[in-house]
Amino acid sequence: MSDDDLALLRETVRAAFDDLSPMPEVRRLMDTGSGWDRAVWTRLCREIGIAGLAVPESYGGTGGSAVELGIVFEEAGRSLLAAPLFATVGLAVPLLLALDDADALGYLPEICAGSVVATVATGDVAVSGDRLTGEAGYVIDGASADLVLVAANGHAVFAVDGAAPGLRRTPLVTLDPTRKQARLTFEDVPAQRIGAANAEPAIRHALDVARALLANEQAGGAARCLAATVDYAKSRVQFGRPIGSFQAVKQHAADLLIQVESARSAAITAAQAVAGWADAPDLPVAAAVAQAYCSEAFVRVAADMIQLHGGIGFTWEHDAHLYFKRAWTSRELLGRPEDHLEALAVLATEGSL
């Protein structure tokens, strides 16, 4: 896509998210069991094609790349989109594409159409023939997904129907009410192996893709926090002047802008690495750098958003706490910043940097 096309995509996606998932609707849905509306998700998939944006046309997608998909995730982070985007498009779709066999790819058309919501579960799950036993904790949208891709024994992937006998799904109370998680218990659950017997390389690749997309979401959330803070600083009057005119506030906002723009740069680079751009770094490196930086940047900007809003920023009615909670939980999802820095150190010793 050209720069103009990417700008048009951003404009279209932002308008759709603002219309279909405004903050009052996010607040309403976070008090429901699933946290999202199936009819809205279906519209987003069929009218905009967000689930299949980076899926080949032969499997129901639009044949785009992670660069376009990164814009979708950035805008989703900006609006705290109430939808199973990360579980389905950030986790499940990259894994199915990485597995690259007929059984795995066969799930993509229904996912792209919005009729199947998928997620990925990892944990202490053992395999006996075509049956799974064990438990996976903190599964994103695990209580509402139609399809669960289970990484069992650490190296094999199995597809499990969300309504399969023996599968018990327990919703969890977590810090972030806008992104639901669940504990999945498998008691002799029927499953279908997909992909190679040793799917560990595919799992590693899919997780790096997920880290890159999550970084874009974090960058979008941080940008929204900064924009809200700057708007408030322009309108909040203290001592007869807008607080944004005070040098200390200006400097603070400038520091946050550096964090936001740096996060966005790292996230875009990671998306380019997923897309295979020639001048982009290797994906494991780009994904680790993006996660290490974007995780911390989002937490910092969200925390300072609360501080610079003063007393109102601490109230339940203000949206600041929702972004703060999303920032902290996102930081923990696919490894903490220190884990990514350690991974970079390993890559450096191996000569991959």
Side-chain angles (χ1 to χ4, degrees), residues 233-248 250:
K234 291 178 180 178
S235 62
R236 177 71 168 93
V237 175
Q238 191 79 311
F239 304 111
R241 296 167 53 189
I243 63 172
S245 66
F246 299 140
Q247 185 60 38
K250 289 181 180 179

Side-chain angles (χ1 to χ4, degrees), residues 52-64 97 108-109 112:
L53 197 56
V55 173
E57 293 182 16
S58 55
Y59 296 105
T62 57
L97 289 172
L108 291 173
C112 292

